């Protein structure tokens, strides 16, 4: 397990009780703060997996305002721990999109289940985001086909069109090579020539000014050679 949890709670006894309960469950309590300023500094430094956040905390910034800053700066899931359940507080809480809400007093079982669900949902979101970032859809004869970036060998320019050469299929796209490069937005794809954008993970060999990907021989432009050599690992 060993997930890192940060606690923002201004009552020392409650904070210590929570920390002890979490430690027994195998979580790593990486820090405790009673105010927003200290919490923001620690969250940036410690990179917790989840934050337990009281609403009434020390200082001029309450837990809800702190939650907004966490959303803006860190995108870390958090669970509110509070005795405040009035409609105004609940409305303000909902706007911060928390991963959980526990009313004080709470028990260890409720705390544990909230944490497990929050971490599970956050993990799912990260996987979904990763899937989106690593693939895209191409329109082909009215059909939308998912293409994984890792399946692309190289992209070849044809005036205002480009040809996407993949492991199993090829696609003609109505985009310039520069536009394709921007859309891929991936450091594994680099230009080696004004007409070629390649997946560096697909390179089989380099020889005499050419890149070889499978049976394809692609020229290396002089102005692109240095970038290419800096992008591959040499032993």
């Amino acid at each position: 397990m060993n997930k890192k949890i940060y606690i923002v709670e201004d009552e020392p006894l409650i904070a210590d009780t929570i920390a002890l309960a979490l430690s027994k469950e195998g979580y790593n309590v990486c820090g405790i703060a009673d105010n927003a300023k200290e919490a923001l500094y620690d969250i940036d430094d410690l990179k917790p997996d989840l934050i337990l956040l009281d609403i009434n905390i020390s200082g001029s910034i309450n837990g809800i305002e702190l939650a907004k800053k966490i959303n803006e700066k860190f995108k870390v899931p958090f669970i509110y721990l509070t005795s405040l359940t009035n409609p105004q507080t609940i409305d303000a809480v909902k706007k911060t999109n928390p991963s959980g809400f526990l009313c004080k007093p709470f028990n260890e079982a409720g705390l544990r289940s909230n944490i497990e669900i929050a971490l599970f949902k956050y993990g799912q979101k990260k996987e979904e985001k990763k899937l989106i970032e690593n693939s895209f859809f191409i329109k082909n004869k009215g059909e939308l086909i998912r293409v994984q970036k890792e399946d692309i060998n190289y992209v070849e320019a044809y005036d205002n069109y480009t040809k996407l050469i993949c492991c199993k299929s090829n696609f003609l796209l109505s985009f310039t090579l520069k536009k394709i490069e921007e859309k891929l937005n991936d450091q594994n794809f680099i230009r080696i020539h004004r007409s070629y954008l390649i997946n560096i993970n697909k390179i089989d060999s380099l020889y005499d000014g050419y890149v070889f990907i499978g049976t394809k021989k692609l020229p290396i432009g002089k102005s692109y050679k240095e970038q290419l050599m800096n992008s591959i690992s040499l032993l």
Side-chain angles (χ1 to χ4, degrees):
M1 188 182 291
N2 203 32
K3 291 291 186 180
K4 295 194 296 182
I5 298 181
Y6 190 85
I7 301 170
V8 185
E9 169 63 63
D10 68 345
E11 295 187 39
L13 182 59
I14 295 178
D16 290 342
T17 301
I18 293 171
L20 180 60
L22 294 178
S23 296
K24 287 180 180 178
E25 293 293 334
Y27 292 106
N28 173 15
V29 178
C30 61
I32 300 174
D34 66 357
N35 65 87
K37 184 177 181 181
E38 183 181 350
L40 288 170
Y41 178 84
D42 283 350
I43 293 166
D44 187 34
D45 182 48
L46 299 171
K47 307 289 189 293
D49 297 294
L50 184 136
I51 300 163
L52 298 179
L53 180 58
D54 189 15
I55 292 179
N56 278 336
I57 55 177
S58 300
S60 59
I61 300 176
N62 66 21
I64 294 175
E65 292 302 314
L66 174 56
K68 293 177 183 178
K69 293 181 182 295
I70 291 170
N71 283 334
E72 291 170 5
K73 295 183 177 182
F74 307 112
K75 312 297 183 184
V76 178
F78 55 88
I79 296 172
Y80 283 113
L81 309 177
T82 183
S83 56
L84 300 175
T85 58
N86 60 78
Q88 293 82 4
T89 298
I90 298 301
D91 286 343
V93 160
K94 287 190 292 186
K95 292 176 182 177
T96 63
N97 194 30
S99 295
F101 186 94
L102 271 172
C103 295
K104 295 179 180 178
F106 48 83
N107 56 41
E108 291 185 13
L111 178 61
R112 182 180 65 249
S113 59
N114 264 263
I115 290 173
E116 289 179 0
I117 291 170
L119 289 171
F120 175 73
K121 286 184 175 180
Y122 185 66
Q124 281 189 318
K125 286 181 180 179
K126 287 179 71 175
E127 286 300 315
E128 289 170 2
K129 183 179 179 183
K130 184 177 179 181
L131 178 62
I132 292 170
E133 289 177 344
N134 291 338
S135 66
F136 53 90
F137 285 92
I138 289 177
K139 192 172 184 179
N140 185 50
K141 297 178 181 179
E143 181 183 9
L144 290 175
I145 302 173
R146 182 187 291 279
V147 175
Q148 299 290 338
K149 287 184 180 180
E150 62 183 19
D151 290 336
I152 301 172
N153 292 333
Y154 64 92
V155 188
E156 185 174 0
Y158 289 92
D159 294 323
N160 290 326
Y161 291 85
T162 51
K163 194 171 186 180
L164 202 67
I165 311 298
C166 301
C167 296
K168 296 180 180 179
S169 305
N170 301 332
F171 302 94
L172 189 64
L173 308 175
S174 57
F175 295 105
T176 62
L177 192 60
K178 182 179 179 181
K179 195 67 177 178
I180 292 293
E181 187 175 11
E182 291 173 355
K183 284 180 173 292
L184 286 172
N185 188 29
D186 191 313
Q187 62 183 3
N188 289 315
F189 290 87
I190 65 168
R191 292 281 285 269
I192 62 163
H193 187 276
R194 59 190 176 89
S195 297
Y196 294 101
L197 174 71
I198 68 165
N199 183 346
I200 59 174
N201 294 316
K202 299 295 185 178
I203 297 174
D204 291 312
S205 63
L206 296 92
Y207 179 72
D208 197 27
Y210 289 90
V211 166
F212 292 84
I213 298 178
T215 58
K216 188 67 177 182
K217 178 180 178 182
L218 307 175
I220 303 171
K222 289 182 180 180
S223 60
Y224 299 95
K225 184 177 181 180
E226 183 177 355
Q227 180 189 4
L228 172 61
M229 299 310 295
N230 288 336
S231 299
I232 61 175
S233 298
L234 294 174
L235 188 61

